[in-house]
Amino acid sequence: MTTTAQAFKFGDDINTDYIISGKYKFKSNDMKEMAHHAMEELDPNYYERVSAQGGFLVAGTNFGCGSSREQAPLVLIHSNTKAVLAQSFARIFYRNAINTGLPLVECDTSRINEGDALEVDLEGGIVNNKTTGEQITFAPLPPVMATLLADGGLAAHFNKNGGFAL
């Protein structure tokens, strides 16, 4: 699966409260509504900037740290974030993202800039920075995780196959 979109750049240690503030956690179960608040603590216009055309959220180290909040990857999905590219991910966020169908790419993001046009090949393990011409390689996801993502996440995979078909 290859996807092309613009980079929306953030820094290190982006915790789940930055992705979706805890003040919204119990206000709604409607992820489309909550997506309007994605990343608003760091960029109040993130939803407006990414929702129309889609985008890649690009970060540094330890993305998704903090509390185990399944809403975090879900609001990114519903904001039209195509994938998150980061140098490293918090383990619980990583599993929640795969389980909900949000693609993650662990790679060197230090030379990706805000607004760069990126092409991400999840199976091939390549990020092509169309703005700079640079190519960044990464380890593709294991086949089990790739299958879950292709099916739209763990629940969608289970429903599609009447159980686990990994």
Side-chain angles (χ1 to χ4, degrees), residues 148-160:
L148 292 177
L149 279 177
D151 288 345
L154 184 62
H157 171 83
F158 191 88
N159 289 335
K160 173 184 173 185

Side-chain angles (χ1 to χ4, degrees), residues 5 13 17 21 25 29 32 35 39 48 54 66 69-70 73 92-93 96 104 107 113 118 121 133 148 152:
D13 301 314
D17 280 329
S21 176
K25 187 174 182 180
N29 287 326
K32 289 181 183 177
M39 304 301 291
E48 287 77 20
R69 194 170 286 172
E70 193 173 88
I92 192 79
F93 179 84
N96 281 339
L104 301 179
C107 67
N113 296 308
L118 305 177
D121 178 355
L148 292 177

Side-chain angles (χ1 to χ4, degrees), residues 70 73-74 77 92-103 141 143-166:
E70 193 173 88
L74 287 171
I77 291 167
I92 192 79
F93 179 84
Y94 190 91
R95 284 305 311 178
N96 281 339
I98 298 298
N99 287 344
T100 57
L102 176 65
L141 289 175
V144 169
M145 290 185 178
T147 298
L148 292 177
L149 279 177
D151 288 345
L154 184 62
H157 171 83
F158 191 88
N159 289 335
K160 173 184 173 185
N161 297 289
F164 294 110
L166 302 171

Side-chain angles (χ1 to χ4, degrees), residues 50-123:
V50 76
S51 63
Q53 64 195 23
F56 294 120
L57 194 158
V58 178
T61 60
N62 202 27
F63 186 85
C65 58
S67 62
S68 171
R69 194 170 286 172
E70 193 173 88
Q71 293 99 330
L74 287 171
V75 299
L76 292 177
I77 291 167
H78 288 283
S79 71
N80 206 12
T81 300
K82 301 296 184 189
V84 178
L85 288 67
Q87 292 180 24
S88 64
F89 293 92
R91 286 181 62 143
I92 192 79
F93 179 84
Y94 190 91
R95 284 305 311 178
N96 281 339
I98 298 298
N99 287 344
T100 57
L102 176 65
L104 301 179
V105 173
E106 194 168 78
C107 67
D108 180 7
T109 58
S110 63
R111 293 183 307 279
I112 299 173
N113 296 308
E114 175 76 18
D116 282 355
L118 305 177
E119 179 182 73
V120 176
D121 178 355
L122 290 173
E123 286 88 19

Side-chain angles (χ1 to χ4, degrees), residues 17-30:
D17 280 329
Y18 287 143
I19 299 168
I20 183 65
S21 176
K23 65 186 173 187
Y24 299 112
K25 187 174 182 180
F26 299 107
K27 290 194 177 192
S28 175
N29 287 326
D30 182 351

